[in-house]
């Protein structure tokens, strides 16, 4: 056995590699997910994508979490694909290039679908740049709050590619309307926080230093409501965007209301709380 040449080892070699995704619990019932590659503006390298998917799966089955806040470390939310990343797509040994590419796109798609299907509502706290895939991450969230520094760019068209990826052509027209969506995607121009609020891309704009606290306050308000009521509301709102017709969707909404009205005492508790001038304490039980 050869001795180790300690002179060739840097003290940095002993430091653990920072996780590309951090998970914190800043307030009761609230999970904070932080994309943690600030030196790369939190670009979507495959190791970050894998860790983000694992984190969302963990949260999905954590019944202590009622609302999720998603943000980026440093000065950017997420700038899309990371061309300089050395991380590899897992489980692709023996695959040809076309199959490898399909697996890569599937990994990225899974993140968007995971956000959409999460039991808990997701608030995107958009700080700084949200480009390409980063814009798609924000659009997949249920609520978007922008810091003053936030700006959005569907940059694919500027890179000689399509301007649409990861569900952008599905999500963006539903958020801001078809004409605005076509213009933004076909021109690739920046949308700052002021315009983003004006066109409905985000619901609110706040100062950078207030962004997370504002999102935590919003999350706590949502978390105070009934758990199944919140989950069914999220499903109904997304379902309404996909509904084939009004009558069918109204029937689905009505069944959700009946489900909670008949199987819980939440409605009676809400009425009593208003009469007694207190906050309701929903048990989600009969």
């Amino acid at each position: 056995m050869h001795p180790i040449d300690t002179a060739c080892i840097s003290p940095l070699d002993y430091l653990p590699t920072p996780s590309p995704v951090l998970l914190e619990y800043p307030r009761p019932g609230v999970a904070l997910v932080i994309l943690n590659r600030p030196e790369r503006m939190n670009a979507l390298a495959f190791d970050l994508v894998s860790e983000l998917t694992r984190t969302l799966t963990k949260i999905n089955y954590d019944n202590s979490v009622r609302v999720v806040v998603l943000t980026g470390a440093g000065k950017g939310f997420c700038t899309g694909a990371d061309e300089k990343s050395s991380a590899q797509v897992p489980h692709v040994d023996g695959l040809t290039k076309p199959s490898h590419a399909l697996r890569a796109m599937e990994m990225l798609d899974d993140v968007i679908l995971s956000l959409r299907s999460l039991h808990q509502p997701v608030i995107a706290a958009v700080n700084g740049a949200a480009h390409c895939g980063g814009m798609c991450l924000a659009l997949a969230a249920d609520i978007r709050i922008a810091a003053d520094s936030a700006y959005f760019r569907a940059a694919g068209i500027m890179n000689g590619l399509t301007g649409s990826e990861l569900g952008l052509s599905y999500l963006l027209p539903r958020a801001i309307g078809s004409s605005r969506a076509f213009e933004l995607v076909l021109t690739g121009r920046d949308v700052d926080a002021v315009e983003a609020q004006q066109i409905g891309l985000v619901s609110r704009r706040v100062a950078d230093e207030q962004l997370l606290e504002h999102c935590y306050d919003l999350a706590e308000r949502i978390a105070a409501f009934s758990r199944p009521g919140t989950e069914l509301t999220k499903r109904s709102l997304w379902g309404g965007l996909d509904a084939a017709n009004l009558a069918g969707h109204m029937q689905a909404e009505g069944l959700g209301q009946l489900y909670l009205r008949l199987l819980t005492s939440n409605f009676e508790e809400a009425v009593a709380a208003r009469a007694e001038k207190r906050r309701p304490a929903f048990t989600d039980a009969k």
Side-chain angles (χ1 to χ4, degrees):
M1 182 179 292
H2 297 289
I4 297 174
D5 184 0
T6 56
C8 297
I9 300 176
S10 164
L12 295 177
D13 294 330
Y14 295 104
L15 296 177
T17 303
S19 173
V21 177
L22 303 178
L23 176 59
E24 300 176 2
Y25 303 93
R27 295 192 189 177
V30 180
L32 173 64
V33 177
I34 307 171
L35 308 180
N36 189 37
R37 282 280 168 73
E39 73 281 3
R40 299 291 305 147
M41 296 290 279
N42 306 309
L44 294 175
F46 286 110
D47 61 336
L48 185 149
V49 171
S50 294
E51 187 60 28
L52 179 55
T53 301
R54 282 193 292 269
T55 300
L56 293 174
T57 299
K58 176 181 178 181
I59 291 171
N60 197 39
Y61 298 107
D62 184 346
N63 295 331
S64 69
V65 176
R66 299 294 310 281
V67 184
V68 179
V69 177
L70 173 66
T71 196
K75 297 182 179 180
F77 180 72
C78 176
T79 54
D82 190 348
E83 293 88 2
K84 296 184 179 180
S85 169
S86 60
Q88 299 297 314
V89 179
H91 314 303
V92 293
D93 292 345
L95 295 182
T96 61
K97 187 174 289 185
S99 296
H100 188 150
L102 285 173
R103 296 288 176 87
M105 288 307 302
E106 194 173 69
M107 275 189 70
L108 294 166
D109 290 346
D110 282 347
V111 173
I112 303 300
L113 295 172
S114 295
L115 285 168
R116 171 81 178 265
S117 63
L118 209 64
H119 290 137
Q120 301 90 341
V122 180
I123 302 169
V126 184
N127 54 313
H131 294 175
C132 301
M135 185 173 179
C136 297
L137 280 181
L139 285 165
D142 305 298
I143 299 170
R144 290 171 293 282
I145 307 297
D148 285 334
S149 64
Y151 66 100
F152 300 82
R153 180 191 301 162
I157 200 80
M158 301 170 67
N159 297 325
L161 305 172
T162 70
S164 176
E165 58 183 334
L166 302 182
L168 184 73
S169 60
Y170 179 93
L171 295 166
L172 187 59
R174 285 164 169 76
I176 64 173
S178 61
S179 182
R180 287 192 178 110
F182 274 60
E183 185 234 323
L184 295 185
V185 175
L186 286 170
T187 63
R189 70 174 180 83
D190 289 354
V191 177
D192 64 19
V194 173
E195 183 182 2
Q197 184 179 24
Q198 290 172 343
I199 65 177
L201 183 52
V202 302
S203 58
R204 295 191 188 180
R205 174 175 58 90
V206 299
D208 284 59
E209 62 273 13
Q210 298 172 0
L211 177 63
L212 287 180
E213 288 301 314
H214 181 88
C215 290
Y216 298 157
D217 289 344
L218 184 59
E220 278 196 326
R221 179 179 174 85
I222 295 170
F225 297 126
S226 157
R227 182 192 302 273
T230 300
E231 290 188 22
L232 282 170
T233 299
K234 173 175 175 170
R235 293 183 195 181
S236 292
L237 287 166
W238 280 111
L241 293 173
D242 294 339
N245 58 72
L246 176 60
H249 185 64
M250 288 173 68
Q251 185 177 51
E253 285 182 325
L255 289 173
Q257 288 285 42
L258 284 174
Y259 173 81
L260 290 175
R261 185 69 178 88
L262 297 176
L263 297 181
T264 76
S265 297
N266 287 352
F267 181 74
E268 290 80 3
E269 167 61 12
V271 172
R274 279 195 290 272
E276 298 165 13
K277 295 181 171 51
R278 61 174 173 82
R279 294 185 65 176
F282 296 117
T283 63
D284 299 326
K286 195 69 173 176

